[in-house]
Amino acid sequence: MAMASRPEGERPDLLLIGRPGNAPAGVAAEARAAGATAREIGCDLASLADVHTAAETVKELLKNGVIRPLRGLIANAGLSVVDTRNASADGYELTFAVNYLAHAQLIGDLLDSFVTPARIVLVGSNTYYANWVRRLMTVPAAEWRDPLELAEPAGPEVSPTLKAAGVAYSNSKLAILYYAHELQRRAPEGINVSVFEPGFMPGTGLSRQHRPAVQRMGRGLQRLPLPGISSLDERWAHLRDGNFVVIDKERDVMPIANNPGRERRLWDATAKLLRSTAQADS
């Protein structure tokens, strides 16, 4: 809505890709009421075929001149899955599928459609490593494994636990950082890739699969005076390529999240996972 409410001439056309239903339609209608050109595109992020279809819809709108050239993409879908035995429509562990693979699919499909200068922003999280605050709150850090293993749902013998759910979430967010670094190396010149950590976000649908008690805790924390996000308009213009922004400050990632070997391996494994899905669909 902040983008939709910019003055005419500074206001982008908006394409809102998300789960079909009242929510994206309502946001699109609100953006149009503010004066923006906004369209919703229904897409189940747990289905890579759905994501590919959404990307094709975007390309068709661009080709027909219905919307102005593509200069930005914000990849912010996310969820935390309690039971890591749950699989996406493509058979991948649901957290990894939605939080990471869906974004890689969408960005890969649209990468040749950008007009430079352009920016791709992925929403990440500091949960990839443990500090004293996260240890106190029992927020698990990432436990990185080969990406093909991370994409596998847990076996039927594995009982769901909050720790396993947290590790899966943190792994998916570490994957976002690895992917962003490798994407920046491979993206056409003029496309800037950044990862944005918005801080704790109670009141969103992130924990919608958790127990009611956990969701009530989130709603309670939402009422606390947490730090807000200041305007980043000027700061975004000068970000280093591949940079990590936490709320409103540029940060260097921890050594675990800057690993070219893992980043190349993730890139190759991602191509294999997406290709396997495309071949199965065909």
Side-chain angles (χ1 to χ4, degrees):
M1 287 310 300
M3 288 188 286
S5 302
R6 288 177 180 172
E8 190 172 355
E10 300 177 18
R11 189 167 51 213
D13 296 344
L14 299 174
L15 297 176
L16 309 175
I17 298 176
R19 285 174 295 156
N22 294 331
V27 174
E30 191 176 352
R32 285 191 291 270
T37 296
R39 294 171 178 269
E40 68 273 19
I41 299 174
C43 173
D44 180 359
L45 276 295
S47 165
L48 294 175
D50 249 33
V51 177
H52 178 68
T53 298
E56 291 299 310
T57 300
V58 173
K59 289 194 278 191
E60 192 66 21
L61 292 170
L62 291 166
K63 177 183 174 183
N64 294 334
V66 177
I67 54 175
R68 288 175 286 175
L70 181 63
R71 291 187 182 273
L73 187 152
I74 303 171
N76 72 317
L79 80 170
S80 177
V81 179
V82 176
D83 191 344
T84 56
R85 297 173 297 185
N86 288 338
S88 70
D90 307 293
Y92 301 135
E93 193 278 315
L94 192 56
T95 315
F96 192 73
V98 172
N99 293 5
Y100 171 66
L101 285 175
H103 294 148
Q105 177 78 61
L106 183 64
I107 293 168
D109 284 343
L110 292 176
L111 197 56
D112 292 337
S113 299
F114 284 93
V115 173
T116 58
R119 188 184 303 281
I120 296 171
V121 179
L122 298 110
V123 175
S125 173
N126 263 334
T127 62
Y128 70 89
Y129 76 99
N131 63 5
W132 71 270
V133 175
R134 285 186 281 281
R135 288 192 186 96
L136 184 65
M137 297 178 66
T138 65
V139 176
E143 296 178 6
W144 190 255
R145 307 192 307 278
D146 187 84
L148 297 183
E149 294 180 32
L150 294 176
E152 287 289 323
E157 74 285 357
V158 176
S159 299
T161 65
L162 287 178
K163 181 181 178 182
V167 169
Y169 179 82
S170 296
N171 281 337
S172 73
K173 293 303 182 178
L174 181 54
I176 287 289
L177 284 163
Y178 287 154
Y179 172 76
H181 296 158
E182 192 66 19
L183 176 62
Q184 186 67 83
R185 286 190 278 267
R186 296 170 182 261
E189 186 175 352
I191 297 180
N192 173 276
V193 182
S194 301
V195 178
F196 176 57
E197 150 71 288
F200 187 55
M201 296 294 289
T204 68
L206 181 66
S207 61
R208 60 182 175 271
Q209 294 201 356
H210 285 259
R211 297 193 305 269
V214 175
Q215 296 187 43
R216 285 196 298 272
M217 187 184 304
R219 288 193 292 271
L221 289 169
Q222 185 182 10
R223 292 190 285 270
L224 296 178
L226 298 171
I229 298 171
S230 62
S231 173
L232 294 174
D233 285 356
E234 292 184 9
R235 295 185 63 84
W236 282 112
H238 306 293
L239 285 182
R240 295 171 290 157
D241 286 349
N243 202 37
F244 185 44
V245 176
V246 179
I247 302 182
D248 62 355
K249 292 182 175 61
E250 298 177 57
R251 300 279 177 84
D252 289 324
V253 296
M254 302 294 286
I256 185 180
N258 189 5
N259 188 317
R262 286 183 175 182
E263 289 156 10
R264 287 192 297 272
R265 171 57 189 154
L266 176 65
W267 188 273
D268 293 342
T270 300
K272 182 175 182 179
L273 292 167
L274 300 184
R275 186 164 58 245
S276 297
T277 303
Q279 290 170 349
D281 290 340
S282 62

